[in-house]
Amino acid sequence: MPSSTPLSLRILTQDELKKIAAYKAVEYVESGMVLGLGTGSTAKHAVDRIGELLRQGRLKNIIGIPTSKKTHEQAVALGIPLSDLDSHPILDLAIDGADEVDPHLNLVKGRGGSLLREKMVEGACKKFVVIVDESKLVKYLGGSGLALPVEIVPFCWNFTAVRLQKMFEESGCVAKLRIKDESGEPFVTDNGNYIVDLFLKKDIGDLNAASDEILRLAGVVEHGMFLGMATTLIVAGELGIAIKNK
């Protein structure tokens, strides 16, 4: 495409779409709120925007509850006051991205590794705004062919991984321990746990039943299906912003 092409005709990058969705989500933030601050490339834009509005004085008296060490560091650098769930067990709003979103606003999260803290924080919110670009929309959870993460304890991780794979073998499940790219060592979460990624070829059916089955397995800490939690979905696509409320 020629470099002289007008901006309005240029195809937006995935990151630009994420930023558009994130900025739209921050419009839901009001002064005085306690906010869940999400983790990942999309949520980073929202946290940056909240910090910018605080510096400009357009937002005041915000308290953030970060969902990861990385987001904690980002918020501190931006001057966003922080606290935790012990001090604020009910949050006004959380903003975060998602790896997959199905037509019922069920989510897959955790490909960045922060699913446990994200689920704790976002489960304590009155309103949970999810921000994605349109590539994250799927017909069913696992439909992208990418990972459905499960956080597990390191003890006998292979034993747990094999049981998870057998649990969903009818869906063509393959369970793989998440590895750090650079070292070959297991990826370790902020909580000191491992992640087993489930790769599915077919729909796993009743999501609530699948959730219960996974959580009953000894060795499992939490999984990346966020069911019935999102209240608003903001999708950025080439034709603009689409908003879906539950």
Side-chain angles (χ1 to χ4, degrees):
M1 185 177 291
S3 59
S4 59
T5 301
L7 183 63
S8 60
L9 298 179
R10 181 173 60 84
I11 295 174
L12 295 173
T13 66
Q14 188 178 34
D15 192 61
E16 287 169 333
L17 292 173
K18 290 176 180 180
K19 188 172 184 178
I20 290 167
Y23 275 46
K24 185 66 179 178
V26 175
E27 293 179 13
Y28 288 84
V29 178
E30 298 175 5
S31 293
M33 280 187 166
V34 181
L35 300 174
L37 304 177
T39 296
S41 57
T42 309
K44 182 181 184 297
H45 288 304
V47 177
D48 281 341
R49 180 62 172 165
I50 291 165
E52 180 183 4
L53 294 176
L54 278 170
R55 283 196 307 275
Q56 294 172 354
R58 294 163 64 184
L59 283 178
K60 297 179 181 179
N61 302 318
I62 294 295
I63 296 174
I65 313 292
T67 55
S68 66
K69 292 178 181 177
K70 189 170 185 178
T71 300
H72 184 282
E73 292 168 0
Q74 180 192 3
V76 167
L78 292 168
I80 300 174
L82 299 179
S83 188
D84 56 34
L85 291 174
D86 292 330
S87 301
H88 298 276
I90 299 176
L91 283 66
D92 297 297
L93 173 70
I95 298 173
D96 206 352
D99 299 307
E100 292 183 0
V101 185
D102 78 5
H104 306 288
L105 301 196
N106 294 312
L107 317 173
V108 168
K109 291 177 53 54
R111 289 180 189 154
S114 302
L115 62 150
L116 175 57
R117 296 190 188 189
E118 288 172 340
K119 192 170 284 190
M120 290 176 71
V121 170
E122 289 150 12
C125 293
K126 297 175 186 175
K127 188 175 182 69
F128 178 23
V129 179
V130 177
I131 45 179
V132 295
D133 66 87
E134 58 191 354
S135 72
K136 303 300 192 294
L137 303 180
V138 295
K139 293 180 180 178
Y140 62 89
L141 295 194
S144 68
L146 301 176
L148 169 57
V150 182
E151 186 162 343
I152 67 169
V153 297
F155 175 73
C156 295
W157 66 263
N158 190 62
F159 171 79
T160 306
V162 169
R163 295 182 79 185
L164 285 167
Q165 181 167 304
K166 286 182 178 178
M167 192 177 287
F168 300 107
E169 61 186 348
E170 289 185 3
S171 299
C173 179
V174 175
K176 296 182 181 179
L177 181 70
R178 187 176 298 183
I179 300 297
K180 292 182 192 174
D181 292 337
E182 64 276 10
S183 66
E185 294 293 314
F187 175 89
V188 178
T189 71
D190 285 350
N191 317 299
N193 296 316
Y194 289 174
I195 288 182
V196 168
D197 289 319
L198 306 183
F199 297 90
L200 304 164
K201 292 182 180 175
K202 300 177 186 174
D203 192 338
I204 58 175
D206 185 329
L207 297 177
N208 286 301
S211 168
D212 291 345
E213 192 173 2
I214 293 171
L215 293 174
R216 280 198 300 269
L217 187 61
V220 166
V221 180
E222 188 52 85
H223 59 69
M225 290 187 290
F226 284 51
L227 307 179
M229 292 176 63
T231 56
T232 299
L233 174 67
I234 298 176
V235 184
E238 288 300 330
L239 300 178
I241 289 280
I243 300 175
K244 183 175 180 179
N245 292 300
K246 198 161 187 181

